[in-house]
Amino acid sequence: GAATADIFAANGASLILNGRRKERLIEKQRQLQIKYPKQKFEIAVFDVQSLNEIEDYFKKHNPQVDVLVNNAGLAKGVD
């Protein structure tokens, strides 16, 4: 996820960084903001396994999303 964010940011994209660990998101946001100060980097702290959390975020923020990269884990051992 972090490497994907770097690639999109390097190509001019503004990003919504999502994950469950707020501290990690804040740190990645800070790194990107320093490297690409003209772009916008927001964080969205929620678990993509929770449909309620996803719906709540989108209802409250109504973000413009052009591309979604779903890089959630927990696929280990799944056929």
Side-chain angles (χ1 to χ4, degrees):
T4 303
D6 288 324
I7 292 168
F8 273 93
N11 285 282
S14 293
L15 306 172
I16 301 170
L17 307 169
N18 167 249
R20 295 173 296 162
R21 295 178 188 94
K22 186 175 183 177
E23 296 78 22
R24 287 187 184 181
L25 293 173
I26 291 170
E27 177 58 24
K28 187 63 184 178
Q29 178 188 41
R30 185 189 68 76
Q31 292 169 0
L32 291 170
Q33 208 64 74
I34 290 168
K35 198 168 182 179
Y36 308 102
K38 294 182 181 181
Q39 288 158 243
K40 187 175 176 184
F41 304 103
E42 297 180 34
I43 62 170
V45 183
F46 62 83
D47 188 341
V48 295
Q49 292 185 88
S50 170
L51 183 56
N52 288 337
E53 290 181 35
I54 295 167
E55 288 175 342
D56 287 347
Y57 175 80
F58 278 85
K59 284 177 185 174
K60 289 178 185 173
H61 300 278
N62 194 27
Q64 167 70 38
V65 177
D66 296 320
V67 177
L68 170 68
V69 178
N70 184 354
N71 191 35
L74 302 177
K76 185 176 181 181
V78 177
D79 292 336

